Amino acid sequence: MELTGSCATEGVVGSGVIAEYGRDERIFNQGDPAETVLLIMDGRVRLSMGTSDGREAIVGTLGAGAFLGEEALAGCTAMLETATAMTDCRVLAFAKDALNRRLRADGEI
C-alpha cells in the first residue's frame, strides 16, 4: 500500500495515514498480510475472493464510512478477500497493533 500523508481523526480511532487509490487500483490482495485496517473516507470499493477453479467472485461493495481489513483485528494473518477501488478512493489506514491497543484502552468502543 502506498501511503500519501497523515491525518488525525476525531473520535475513538485516533490517527491514521491517508492513502489514495485510482479507479480499478488494487488496495490489497487476498492472502496479503493482515497488518492494516482501513476506513473508507471517499469512494467505493469492491471486495472479491478467488475461487478454487481460478475465477473471481464479488462478495460485496463498500462505500464511505465502511472498514476494510477488519479480519486483522480478529487475529487473521492474511486478508480474506481482494479490495479494488471502483472509483477514486481515499482511505485512512491504521496499523493493526496500534488500533488494537486503542480499542482495548477505550471502554466506549
Side-chain angles (χ1 to χ4, degrees):
M1 171 183 340
E2 187 172 323
L3 304 177
T4 60
S6 64
C7 175
T9 61
E10 294 182 33
V12 295
V13 293
S15 64
V17 177
I18 292 178
E20 296 180 345
Y21 298 90
R23 182 183 174 140
D24 295 326
E25 190 173 352
R26 289 283 167 98
I27 298 170
F28 57 79
N29 289 303
Q30 184 176 349
D32 282 353
E35 300 170 345
T36 307
V37 179
L38 303 111
L39 172 64
I40 302 170
M41 298 174 67
D42 297 302
R44 294 203 53 81
V45 174
R46 177 180 59 247
L47 299 176
S48 59
M49 296 181 81
T51 63
S52 59
D53 61 1
R55 294 187 297 173
E56 184 177 68
I58 296 173
V59 295
T61 59
L62 301 171
F67 282 92
L68 300 168
E70 63 273 14
E71 58 265 29
L73 297 176
C76 291
T77 58
M79 296 299 195
L80 301 177
E81 65 273 321
T82 295
T84 306
M86 297 173 66
T87 63
D88 289 343
C89 291
R90 271 188 331 134
V91 299
L92 191 54
F94 303 94
K96 169 182 73 173
D97 295 336
L99 189 54
N100 258 329
R101 282 191 301 276
R102 182 65 189 241
L103 290 169
R104 286 191 199 106
D106 192 328
E108 293 291 314
I109 299 174

